[in-house]
Amino acid sequence: MPPNTTASTGTKPAKSGRKKGRKARLFVLVLALALVGGVAYGSYWSISTVRASFPQTGGTITIEGLSGPVDVKRDGNGIPQIYASSDEDLFMAQGFVQAQDRFYEMDVRRHLTSGRLSEMFGEGQIENDEFLRTLGWDRVAKEEYDSKLSDSTKKYLQAYAKGVNAYLKGRQGEDISLEYAALGFANDYKPAEWTPVDSVAWLKAMAWDLRGNMQDEIDRALMTSRLGPKQIADLYPAYPSGRHKAIVQEGRYDEGTETFDGDGGESDGEGDGEGDGEGDGSGTDPGTSGDSDATGGGTDATGASADGAALQTQLSGLYDVLEDLPEAVGVNGNGIGSNSWVVGGAHTITGKPLLANDPHLSASLPSVWYQMGLHCRTVSEACGFDVSGYTFAGMPGVVIGHNKDIAWGMTNSGVDVTDLYLEKLTGDGYQVDGKVKPFKTREETIKVAGGESKTIVVRETGNGPLLSDRDDELVKVGRKATVDTAAPDRGDGYGIALRWTALDAGTSMDAVFAMDRAADWDGFRAAAALFDVPSQNLVYADTKNHIGYTLPGKIPTRAQGHNGSVPVPGWNSRYRWQGFIGQDELPYEFDPARGYIVTANQAVVDKGDYPYTLTTDWGYGTRSQRINDLVESKIKGGGKISTDDMRQMQLDNSSEIAKLLVPMLLKIDISDPDVRQAQKLLEGWDYTQDADSAAAAYFNSTWRNILKLAFGNKLPRELRAKGQCLWVEPTDTTGPADENRKVRECGQRDADQAQPDGGDRWFEVVRGLVDDEDSDWWTTPEVGTRDGAANRDDLFKRAMVDARWELTAKLGKDIDTWSWGRLHRLFLKNQTLGTEGPGFLEYMLNRGPWKLGGGEATVNATGWNAAGGYGVVWVPSMRMVVNLGDLDKSRWINLTGASGHAYSAHYTDQTDKWAEGELLPWAFTEKAVDDRTSDTLTLKP
């Protein structure tokens, strides 16, 4: 039975000094800028200062190092198309142009990836830097550059860096961006030259954002302090394979001629893969799943066990570190997803494929994406690129887009490429199979703007860096954990190490250029094989009327009894990764008979005879199935799909959970006339969450309150939102419940990271419980004069009442004025000075709000966290539809604009159109580009 909890209102819990220190970002800067705001606001922030860094977009600029002239043609949105006669000139120009528009963003990113944010922003960033130095992204990037990447890739990276540095030459900070002008008041920071490694390292940040199920590992372990194995299993239901189609339905993997058909049960040799939390190896239960438990007090195959409460303390500390990383790295893996699908020519108006993509990431200003075209005037051995699409500012090439022959899109595969290891630490080493091995160590010196440098020691085991060294809370488990006689003595305690594929040097940068040049399916598959991290679902289409899907990536294989769902003992070598799935053994599809392929973070393969476990934590397939249904309905109706049909599908706002719950909510007898008035909004509602819909506002508020009452108030404080306080039984209390023993306990997570977040996992949780009207989950205690709930309908009724008065407080008593968009708003914030600078600077750098439709787990995935509120926390970061019948009729849009300059006309000039669901024309051929060109800049040697 869920633990007895009682809701309470109250103030935020006091933060520890350590937490305060980490949250006090940019304090040196804030102090200085506050003075600027008070003393020089009217005089210093002049028009000339603001415009000093705007790029030159016409005329001629001479750049040392070019071998010939380069033309940069910009359209009315400032999107550049570059024309050159050699690869080196092309990428040198790309570096120059991106630096013109986005160098401040590029500079912050490289300080992020290298753990050097303190150099720019002061001591408030030291703990972030310590954590990032421990991960060592820049060290891995350097190793990649030195030993893994091809000579041609290095040549392109070098050319790109030369272009960036050509832009920087002779420029002071205020000539580069408004933010540097502000930084100049706080410290003497000056931008350094760009290096090829700076470009490579950004792929590590994106891999971190898309790292898989690490958060689920942590959350499952944290739940053990309040919930039992069966309850945790309820909250991690099996993937609904009978209802939501996998990506690969007719595909195969290359192991001789063996195929898999997606019709049976996915197996990893550990169980049936379905998962009931009772030891079947599914990973839904950290206390009893398989024989690999090291988190919930169970015993693993080595005979070792760890106390769940102790690990709960440890992983809570780890979460504190993870959630505090800058938002530039996204929303730390929670809720991240994407849509991408491709329809073959047999089902399109043009007779050629259409390909759509909209990656979902946290909203940032400027957008993480940068649109551009890279064109060789004549494609030849000396100049081999003619490609257009989305790239990252700071990185050469195009990441997602098309060339003259093929198009491709990406979604996060969600495969499990991380594991947490409990390590037995002994003196200067760690224990493996009864022997002590020395740590691999290195010293890292962190320079601090306005303060003294700090030196840390990074320790690594054979399983990876010790994350526990970066937070005092993480070492507590070693003092509390209980082990049996077969386990090593706890000594001073266990640490936590991270094994992650992105900490191995790889070849993803090679893959970017290879995909840009690929001309057919075989070339694309060969290029994709180089894309080792982050593992992505890649969809493909070409002008010869082929479509395809492939799953690349470096994906580990694990020993039987260890499926990657929970932390495991590092002191037993059995739990080390066994190897990696061969690229020729990974799933793919080519020209499936159904004529289309959909990827939206659902299971890659259904329950078939595929021999490997890819993850135990797929997305639950709500978005993907809706896209499948939309495509199928068009095809079965005899229609042909157009570019605009693809766009309309991207904007689909239908709520699947509303379709399930609204008929039940309408049957509940409501006597209060005000609540009944709100309930009537749901009558005749078509379940679409348009921005102007009052019904969507009321339903989503009801859904939020259902989740809070049924689940949120029963979760441990480490998962609940800050400021949400309850009276609960202490975790160490035994015996029957006693009201006199309850203690006040407040949530600890930031609002956009808390649980229950309301995503499609929670759809499946509720779907699995909703027919059991008397489930313990539907019970709630009385709170003051408020009645408790004894069953499902009682709880639903209370949620509807709470929703009515919540919206009355937020939107007013008159329901005619209610709308979903008034609750569900997007604010775009500059990710450094726009989040914690003084008010006037935030006003200068930030934009919004925009009232949005869509929602969590809809195709139009404007994500919000039900535990924390209704505000938009992640979005379709761009949208595109590629028309392989006529590439010039393709369409695209970015979340913000091409420019990172706050008062440029192109700072957020695409956002209004993005919010309305519009797409811009996407010219590709030279004639089409010329027709849309507004400014031409010539770069001359």
Side-chain angles (χ1 to χ4, degrees), residues 4-6 226 726-730 741-745:
N4 184 22
T5 59
T6 305
R226 287 283 171 200
L726 309 169
W727 288 96
V728 300
E729 291 279 336
R741 284 204 301 259
K742 287 186 176 181
V743 295
R744 192 164 178 271
E745 189 180 83

Side-chain angles (χ1 to χ4, degrees), residues 660-670 676 679 682-683 773 792-793 796-797 800:
L660 175 68
L661 295 184
V662 165
M664 300 177 190
L665 296 175
L666 288 174
K667 292 179 181 178
I668 294 174
D669 184 22
I670 300 291
R676 172 61 185 143
Q679 183 187 35
L682 304 179
E683 296 176 359
E773 298 182 28
R792 182 199 69 193
D793 286 352
F796 282 10
K797 181 177 182 179
M800 294 173 74

Side-chain angles (χ1 to χ4, degrees), residues 567-583:
V568 290
W571 53 79
N572 189 323
S573 61
R574 170 191 169 189
Y575 291 96
R576 296 282 179 89
W577 288 357
Q578 307 296 296
F580 300 92
I581 303 174
Q583 290 296 309

Side-chain angles (χ1 to χ4, degrees), residues 469-775:
D469 283 351
R470 301 282 73 88
D471 194 296
D472 291 342
E473 287 183 281
L474 297 181
V475 301
K476 293 180 182 178
V477 68
R479 302 188 182 112
K480 297 181 180 180
T482 58
V483 294
D484 64 21
T485 56
D489 182 80
R490 67 175 176 250
D492 291 331
Y494 300 135
I496 289 184
L498 171 67
R499 184 78 170 94
W500 178 33
T501 53
L503 297 184
D504 299 334
T507 56
S508 293
M509 200 71 238
D510 283 340
V512 172
F513 298 113
M515 285 192 289
D516 288 354
R517 290 192 305 262
D520 55 25
W521 171 245
D522 289 340
F524 181 75
R525 282 261 290 168
L530 299 169
F531 206 93
D532 42 20
V533 289
S535 176
Q536 297 287 286
N537 297 311
L538 298 179
V539 294
Y540 166 94
D542 64 36
T543 56
K544 295 182 179 178
N545 223 353
H546 299 293
I547 63 173
Y549 162 85
T550 190
L551 174 70
K554 193 173 184 180
I555 304 170
T557 58
R558 299 171 173 89
Q560 186 168 338
H562 169 29
N563 61 12
S565 63
V566 293
V568 290
W571 53 79
N572 189 323
S573 61
R574 170 191 169 189
Y575 291 96
R576 296 282 179 89
W577 288 357
Q578 307 296 296
F580 300 92
I581 303 174
Q583 290 296 309
D584 58 352
E585 297 178 281
L586 291 170
Y588 71 88
E589 275 191 331
F590 185 65
D591 286 341
R594 66 186 181 280
Y596 65 92
I597 302 169
V598 175
T599 83
N601 317 113
Q602 79 270 40
V604 172
V605 291
D606 210 337
K607 300 180 299 178
D609 62 351
Y610 188 67
Y612 301 105
T613 294
L614 297 173
T615 186
T616 58
D617 291 297
W618 298 115
Y620 281 81
T622 301
R623 280 180 289 108
S624 63
Q625 191 55 46
R626 177 63 177 170
I627 298 168
N628 269 289
D629 292 345
L630 290 170
V631 173
E632 281 188 5
S633 65
K634 189 77 173 181
I635 292 173
K636 290 180 178 178
K640 298 286 187 177
I641 296 174
S642 68
T643 300
D644 196 59
D645 289 332
M646 299 286 273
R647 180 188 70 87
Q648 292 286 355
M649 292 177 193
Q650 288 179 324
L651 303 178
D652 183 80
N653 286 330
S654 177
S655 170
E656 294 303 304
I657 192 63
K659 291 177 184 177
L660 175 68
L661 295 184
V662 165
M664 300 177 190
L665 296 175
L666 288 174
K667 292 179 181 178
I668 294 174
D669 184 22
I670 300 291
S671 57
D672 185 311
D674 290 313
V675 181
R676 172 61 185 143
Q677 184 186 29
Q679 183 187 35
K680 290 177 68 175
L681 291 172
L682 304 179
E683 296 176 359
W685 180 42
D686 62 0
Y687 314 122
T688 59
Q689 301 170 100
D690 294 334
D692 60 359
S693 171
Y698 182 61
F699 172 77
N700 281 320
S701 182
T702 300
W703 168 238
R704 178 175 185 248
N705 281 281
I706 288 172
L707 291 171
K708 179 180 178 181
L709 293 169
F711 309 106
N713 289 347
K714 296 158 189 172
L715 294 176
R717 61 185 176 183
E718 291 83 7
L719 275 70
R720 298 199 313 271
K722 292 174 182 175
Q724 294 181 5
C725 301
L726 309 169
W727 288 96
V728 300
E729 291 279 336
T731 55
D732 58 355
T733 296
T734 58
D738 183 347
E739 289 290 330
N740 295 324
R741 284 204 301 259
K742 287 186 176 181
V743 295
R744 192 164 178 271
E745 189 180 83
C746 296
Q748 295 181 345
R749 284 199 177 170
D750 287 343
D752 61 359
Q753 304 286 324
Q755 292 292 341
D757 61 23
D760 65 354
R761 173 164 68 89
W762 293 99
F763 290 13
E764 289 304 311
V765 169
V766 171
R767 189 185 296 275
L769 295 169
V770 75
D771 290 334
D772 183 0
E773 298 182 28
D774 298 314
S775 168

Side-chain angles (χ1 to χ4, degrees), residues 742-853:
K742 287 186 176 181
V743 295
R744 192 164 178 271
E745 189 180 83
C746 296
Q748 295 181 345
R749 284 199 177 170
D750 287 343
D752 61 359
Q753 304 286 324
Q755 292 292 341
D757 61 23
D760 65 354
R761 173 164 68 89
W762 293 99
F763 290 13
E764 289 304 311
V765 169
V766 171
R767 189 185 296 275
L769 295 169
V770 75
D771 290 334
D772 183 0
E773 298 182 28
D774 298 314
S775 168
D776 288 337
W777 288 108
W778 305 128
T779 64
T780 64
E782 295 180 5
V783 180
T785 59
R786 293 173 57 80
D787 293 336
N791 54 44
R792 182 199 69 193
D793 286 352
D794 282 352
L795 186 139
F796 282 10
K797 181 177 182 179
R798 180 170 160 185
M800 294 173 74
V801 172
D802 289 353
R804 175 31 157 145
W805 299 119
E806 180 185 10
L807 294 195
T808 297
K810 290 180 180 295
L811 303 180
K813 187 173 182 180
D814 183 359
I815 66 173
D816 290 337
T817 68
W818 290 3
S819 70
W820 176 224
R822 287 182 63 197
L823 289 173
H824 192 53
R825 299 186 300 168
L826 170 67
F827 290 85
L828 292 175
K829 294 184 178 183
N830 178 290
Q831 290 302 296
T832 55
L833 308 187
T835 58
E836 300 198 37
F840 82 88
L841 194 60
E842 291 187 18
Y843 177 81
M844 294 179 74
L845 296 175
N846 299 339
R847 299 292 184 271
W850 284 266
K851 299 175 182 179
L852 300 184

Side-chain angles (χ1 to χ4, degrees), residues 311-618:
L311 190 66
Q312 184 256 1
T313 300
Q314 186 179 41
L315 293 177
S316 175
L318 173 59
Y319 185 86
D320 284 346
V321 177
L322 299 183
E323 77 163 344
D324 224 43
L325 288 180
E327 290 183 10
V329 195
V331 289
N332 299 324
N334 293 332
I336 294 294
S338 301
N339 302 320
S340 189
W341 68 99
V342 59
V343 180
H347 303 303
T348 69
I349 287 176
T350 66
K352 293 290 179 71
L354 295 170
L355 185 150
N357 196 188
D358 54 284
H360 307 156
L361 297 168
S362 60
S364 60
L365 180 61
S367 167
V368 69
W369 299 108
Y370 185 94
Q371 299 152 285
M372 71 188 321
L374 300 171
H375 308 279
C376 291
R377 292 189 177 96
T378 301
V379 176
S380 64
E381 186 174 340
C383 197
F385 294 87
D386 188 16
V387 61
S388 183
Y390 296 86
T391 186
F392 301 129
M395 203 179 88
V398 167
V399 178
I400 295 174
H402 70 82
N403 59 33
K404 67 182 182 64
D405 299 305
I406 73 167
W408 66 97
M410 297 184 185
T411 65
N412 188 24
S413 70
V415 297
D416 187 358
V417 295
T418 60
D419 276 330
L420 296 174
Y421 284 85
L422 295 176
E423 301 284 11
K424 163 59 181 169
L425 310 182
T426 305
D428 293 327
Y430 61 99
Q431 189 168 313
V432 181
D433 297 337
K435 297 180 181 179
V436 177
K437 292 191 172 185
F439 296 115
K440 181 180 178 182
T441 63
R442 67 178 187 272
E443 285 192 352
E444 296 276 355
T445 299
I446 299 170
K447 297 179 181 179
V448 182
E452 295 183 1
S453 298
K454 180 177 181 179
T455 299
I456 63 170
V457 175
V458 176
R459 301 190 293 176
E460 294 186 10
T461 74
N463 294 313
L466 277 174
L467 301 187
S468 49
D469 283 351
R470 301 282 73 88
D471 194 296
D472 291 342
E473 287 183 281
L474 297 181
V475 301
K476 293 180 182 178
V477 68
R479 302 188 182 112
K480 297 181 180 180
T482 58
V483 294
D484 64 21
T485 56
D489 182 80
R490 67 175 176 250
D492 291 331
Y494 300 135
I496 289 184
L498 171 67
R499 184 78 170 94
W500 178 33
T501 53
L503 297 184
D504 299 334
T507 56
S508 293
M509 200 71 238
D510 283 340
V512 172
F513 298 113
M515 285 192 289
D516 288 354
R517 290 192 305 262
D520 55 25
W521 171 245
D522 289 340
F524 181 75
R525 282 261 290 168
L530 299 169
F531 206 93
D532 42 20
V533 289
S535 176
Q536 297 287 286
N537 297 311
L538 298 179
V539 294
Y540 166 94
D542 64 36
T543 56
K544 295 182 179 178
N545 223 353
H546 299 293
I547 63 173
Y549 162 85
T550 190
L551 174 70
K554 193 173 184 180
I555 304 170
T557 58
R558 299 171 173 89
Q560 186 168 338
H562 169 29
N563 61 12
S565 63
V566 293
V568 290
W571 53 79
N572 189 323
S573 61
R574 170 191 169 189
Y575 291 96
R576 296 282 179 89
W577 288 357
Q578 307 296 296
F580 300 92
I581 303 174
Q583 290 296 309
D584 58 352
E585 297 178 281
L586 291 170
Y588 71 88
E589 275 191 331
F590 185 65
D591 286 341
R594 66 186 181 280
Y596 65 92
I597 302 169
V598 175
T599 83
N601 317 113
Q602 79 270 40
V604 172
V605 291
D606 210 337
K607 300 180 299 178
D609 62 351
Y610 188 67
Y612 301 105
T613 294
L614 297 173
T615 186
T616 58
D617 291 297
W618 298 115

